[in-house]
Amino acid sequence: MIMITGGAYQGKKAYAAERFGLSPEEMIDGTYCGYTELINAKCVYNYHEFIKKLLKNGEDAVQYTTELCDNNSGLIVIMDEIGSGIIPLDREERSWREVTGRCGCIIAERSDEVIRMICGIPEMIKGGKK
Amino acid sequence: MTVMITGGSKCGKSSFAERIFDNIKSSKIYLATMKPYGEEAEKAIERHRILRAGKGFETIEKYTDISELTFDNMDSVLLECIGNLLANEMFRNEEIELCADKIADEIKQISTKVNNLVIVTNQVGSDGMDYQEGTELYISEMGKLNQKIASIADTVIECVYGIPVILKGEKPC
């Protein structure tokens, strides 16, 4: 598994497409995709939005993420870092932020390589070539 | 040499940027983009003035269209900061203008004309919040502009509580 993270609009998708030679069809948008699509996907982006969707539907996102890691260990997961603001007042927003953090830790733990994008520059924060 | 310094709010970007200029002997220009509107802006500007005092900077204030300025090829310019410049350009008219490309071109032009260009920008968009459309567009334009500036810079640094983390190139000082 490979994880690409970083703030919004830092060039995560472009990096993944270039480095792994992914076509737009091979990159699935977590905002809209269904659960089963991810099992066979090469790459998912906006995984943080996928988590939001899981929570809205009352699913256990941590368990789902763990199972996804088990069943598609070659997946490239792109998700935003979202935890650097103030704790949201809204209960649902708060829960989303927490669960996204936990899921991110699981994905990072299972990934051979974790890349953090900033200003279009990849920082190798786990594994990979310096 | 073109250097870009990024990081969150109040993370020591300016002090580090100014440190780069300590070893520069040629003329130093501080290109300020923040409009002095309101008490907080005036305070921030005053704080930065005190930080720069005695360091031999000539200050030029230019809030938009920085390519209209002329520089000497021996000048070393400290441009601070991209966050304000982008906001000034995007929101100057009633209709929001997407100007990441325009500003990136202007910075590229200046970088080829001067001896050294140090650019202070900042990181936004790591809080997962949904904002209204204008702010969301601002965050995406900041991301795009930062990527463009980083691609033309020799050195890119992220400041973390005053500690420079080198993302690209060599440590400048």
Side-chain angles (χ1 to χ4, degrees):
Chain A
M1 227 172 177
I2 301 222
M3 180 185 195
I4 301 170
T5 187
Y9 311 108
Q10 300 299 313
K12 297 185 287 294
K13 261 170 66 189
Y15 173 81
E18 197 191 318
R19 178 163 162 205
F20 301 104
L22 299 167
S23 66
E25 299 77 48
E26 289 172 318
M27 303 176 84
I28 295 179
D29 188 345
T31 320
Y32 306 107
C33 73
Y35 305 151
T36 46
E37 273 176 85
L38 287 186
I39 302 297
N40 298 309
K42 273 195 172 173
C43 173
V44 57
Y45 60 95
N46 287 333
Y47 190 74
H48 58 289
E49 291 292 342
F50 184 79
I51 294 169
K52 190 184 265 180
K53 200 164 55 185
L54 287 174
L55 293 179
K56 280 223 169 92
N57 296 338
E59 306 275 346
D60 184 337
V62 170
Q63 193 192 335
Y64 179 86
T65 300
T66 310
E67 284 172 16
L68 180 63
C69 294
D70 290 339
N71 294 322
N72 190 355
S73 60
L75 184 65
I76 300 163
V77 183
I78 302 175
M79 64 188 283
D80 284 10
E81 269 186 295
I82 62 158
S84 300
I86 302 296
I87 299 174
L89 281 175
D90 180 77
R91 193 195 188 98
E92 279 177 22
E93 288 280 323
R94 202 157 60 230
S95 152
W96 171 57
R97 200 173 80 140
E98 278 182 30
V99 172
T100 301
R102 283 200 202 105
C103 293
C105 291
I106 294 167
I107 296 164
E109 168 73 38
R110 298 289 195 98
S111 291
D112 302 312
E113 216 180 295
V114 181
I115 300 129
R116 177 176 173 249
M117 295 299 295
I118 176 165
C119 306
I121 299 169
E123 264 190 296
M124 306 300 166
I125 58 174
K126 179 183 175 184
K129 305 180 289 269
K130 271 280 168 194
Chain B
M1 174 181 69
T2 303
V3 181
M4 167 173 163
I5 302 171
T6 190
S9 170
K10 306 283 174 268
C11 65
K13 299 185 292 282
S14 307
S15 313
F16 184 77
E18 283 161 26
R19 232 157 69 203
I20 298 174
F21 283 76
D22 287 348
N23 299 321
I24 292 173
K25 299 280 174 278
S26 57
S27 68
K28 305 176 193 180
I29 293 167
Y30 182 80
L31 173 49
T33 61
M34 188 187 213
K35 287 184 183 173
Y37 290 163
E39 196 188 328
E40 279 181 46
E42 276 167 25
K43 264 192 190 156
I45 289 167
E46 187 53 29
R47 204 185 129 259
H48 281 246
R49 268 202 195 115
I50 293 166
L51 274 171
R52 285 198 311 279
K55 292 186 177 171
F57 280 96
E58 177 199 341
T59 300
I60 299 174
E61 290 176 42
K62 189 88 173 90
Y63 311 130
T64 55
D65 306 301
I66 53 169
S67 59
E68 289 171 4
L69 297 167
T70 48
F71 295 103
D72 186 89
N73 62 6
M74 283 312 290
D75 288 340
S76 292
V77 178
L78 171 49
L79 166 57
E80 182 158 17
C81 78
I82 296 300
N84 284 309
L85 180 61
L86 179 69
N88 296 341
E89 296 256 2
M90 272 184 84
F91 305 112
R92 69 167 132 184
N93 299 314
E94 212 160 289
E95 191 131 319
I96 294 173
E97 278 175 67
L98 302 182
C99 18
D101 288 328
K102 172 195 182 266
I103 297 172
D105 285 343
E106 291 182 294
I107 287 171
K108 201 172 180 179
Q109 270 180 47
I110 294 174
S111 75
T112 58
K113 282 181 194 158
V114 299
N115 193 7
N116 297 293
L117 175 63
V118 177
I119 302 146
V120 175
T121 183
N122 63 318
Q123 285 308 116
V124 290
S126 297
D127 60 4
M129 299 286 287
D130 282 328
Y131 293 96
Q132 53 186 21
E133 198 198 352
T135 310
E136 198 57 47
L137 281 174
Y138 174 77
I139 295 170
S140 74
E141 287 293 282
M142 267 305 272
K144 189 174 167 190
L145 180 52
N146 279 342
Q147 289 181 52
K148 282 176 176 281
I149 299 170
S151 75
I152 61 165
D154 304 302
T155 301
V156 180
I157 293 161
E158 182 190 12
C159 249
V160 183
Y161 285 134
I163 298 165
V165 179
I166 312 297
L167 301 172
K168 176 183 177 184
E170 305 276 321
K171 197 169 177 238
C173 64

